[in-house]
Amino acid sequence: AARHLRWEADLLDDTARRKVEENLFRIDDAYRGSEKAASFFLKLLRRPEELGKTLEKMNEHRVLGAFLPEFEKLHWRVQHDVYHLYTVDAHSIIAVKELGKLRRGEYAKGFPTFTQVARDLKRPEVVAFGILYHDIGKGEGRGHVEKGAPLIRAAGARLGFTPEEIDSLEFLERSHLIMTHVAFRRDLEDQNLIIQFARSVLNLEQLDRLSLLTFCDVKGVNPEAMTHWKASLLEYLYLKTREVLRKGEFAPQKLSLLMPKLKKEVVGLLGKEKAAEADDFFRSLP
């Protein structure tokens, strides 16, 4: 049954492909808003293993942009920097293909952590669509992160994602540049930094989703963008943040229990004559 969910563009002859392109006008607002069309597209998203190839063919024949009008603005849009080798639409689809490679186990030896995270996804369609739309704001000009947030929410609602999933999609779009900044430019031995990052992702599911988006985004920039050094930094940040989230170290209620224990240990190390000084120190802490 899953095989029939794939759009077999490779089996279309030239006449059929021309017919598809001539009838794109039939993909109108009524079609885009239909529950049947949205349900079919969500089924495609739930199988990221072959999704990239399907999206690539849909984009080639302008079906993807007709069904997702926000994405049409990314078609052949050049990125003017020295890092991005592909146009925005191609980069986004290549990033989705990277998620498929993770799910299929093609990176099991080189990137085992992210391979396992990808395979353990409970709702892969959220990550797949988050990756596809992470740069959606670039079709609107400068400030693409802020401009992309309402676009991904609107598209998510139209496709039938739940309110919680739509919130997660917006989080992924707004946060897709943060993890690379923290991993590649900040001191990962600073535990306060890790705690602040853990606070921003809120929970383990969000961390898993953002980590995969970040990995696939970097892999989709150009073939040499994801070095093993960069991957190791992302993995280190992921693992340290996961540990903080599992322990709940940034929760106020846990800190309130932790502080008296710390003070007792400090007094034990310094001696009772330093108890008053220790009290003053701990009262000064936020």
Side-chain angles (χ1 to χ4, degrees):
R3 183 182 62 186
H4 296 297
L5 295 176
R6 291 161 50 194
W7 191 59
E8 299 288 359
D10 287 338
L11 302 181
L12 298 178
D13 59 22
D14 291 341
T15 301
R17 294 184 186 200
R18 186 173 65 253
K19 286 291 185 182
V20 168
E21 294 173 2
E22 288 174 352
N23 286 274
L24 289 177
F25 70 93
R26 299 183 185 278
I27 306 178
D28 54 14
D29 287 341
Y31 183 90
R32 296 183 198 102
S34 71
E35 184 177 344
K36 185 176 181 180
S39 176
F40 181 80
F41 193 71
L42 281 178
K43 287 178 181 178
L44 290 176
L45 293 173
R46 291 188 186 111
R47 293 185 57 80
E49 292 81 359
E50 300 296 331
L51 177 62
K53 180 181 178 181
T54 302
L55 295 176
E56 199 169 54
K57 293 299 181 181
M58 291 176 70
N59 192 49
E60 179 183 344
H61 299 289
R62 308 304 286 265
V63 175
L64 189 60
F67 185 63
L68 301 173
E70 304 91 356
F71 198 81
E72 176 64 20
K73 292 186 177 182
L74 304 186
H75 196 67
W76 292 343
R77 189 178 185 89
V78 176
Q79 305 191 69
H80 299 283
D81 59 50
V82 297
Y83 303 106
H84 287 86
L85 184 62
Y86 312 104
T87 55
V88 184
D89 58 330
H91 159 71
S92 301
I93 293 172
I94 290 170
V96 174
K97 294 175 79 172
E98 292 297 332
L99 177 63
K101 291 179 181 180
L102 284 170
R103 297 267 294 184
R104 292 195 301 269
E106 292 185 24
Y107 295 139
K109 290 184 178 180
F111 310 109
T113 297
F114 295 118
T115 295
Q116 193 61 50
V117 173
R119 287 179 161 179
D120 289 343
L121 281 176
K122 295 179 180 178
R123 291 177 286 181
E125 65 271 23
V126 177
V127 178
F129 193 69
I131 293 173
L132 182 65
Y133 261 50
H134 75 279
D135 275 341
I136 198 65
K138 288 187 176 180
E140 305 298 322
R142 290 181 178 273
H144 77 279
V145 173
E146 191 66 30
K147 291 178 178 178
L151 296 178
I152 198 171
R153 290 192 70 89
R158 192 172 65 244
L159 290 171
F161 284 101
T162 67
E164 182 274 330
E165 290 170 340
I166 292 170
D167 288 342
S168 183
L169 288 171
E170 180 181 356
F171 163 79
L172 292 174
E173 190 279 333
R174 287 186 179 275
S175 307
H176 73 271
L177 299 175
I178 292 176
M179 197 167 182
T180 51
H181 175 79
V182 174
F184 302 159
R185 301 183 183 182
R186 303 293 295 275
D187 179 10
L188 298 182
E189 298 303 327
D190 181 354
Q191 188 64 8
N192 286 328
L193 173 68
I194 303 300
I195 290 173
Q196 289 299 320
F197 180 67
R199 279 179 172 170
S200 72
V201 299
L202 299 177
N203 57 58
L204 286 169
E205 187 173 42
Q206 292 284 70
L207 175 64
D208 287 348
R209 291 172 176 175
L210 182 60
S211 299
L212 291 175
L213 187 156
T214 303
F215 177 90
C216 295
D217 185 18
V218 176
K219 285 286 288 180
V221 169
N222 65 62
E224 288 78 39
M226 178 61 80
T227 64
H228 280 282
W229 176 73
K230 286 182 178 179
S232 68
L233 292 176
L234 283 175
E235 181 184 37
Y236 190 55
L237 174 58
Y238 169 77
L239 293 174
K240 291 195 73 171
T241 306
R242 185 177 68 178
E243 189 67 17
V244 168
L245 287 168
R246 283 179 172 173
K247 291 181 177 179
E249 291 182 5
F250 61 86
Q253 61 270 28
K254 181 148 187 177
L255 286 174
S256 66
L257 298 173
L258 181 62
M259 295 298 271
K261 293 181 180 179
L262 284 175
K263 186 168 73 171
K264 185 176 180 181
E265 289 189 25
V266 169
V267 171
L269 290 170
L270 297 178
K272 291 184 178 180
E273 64 275 10
K274 294 284 188 176
E277 189 175 339
D279 280 336
D280 290 339
F281 172 76
F282 277 92
R283 275 197 297 269
S284 71
L285 295 177

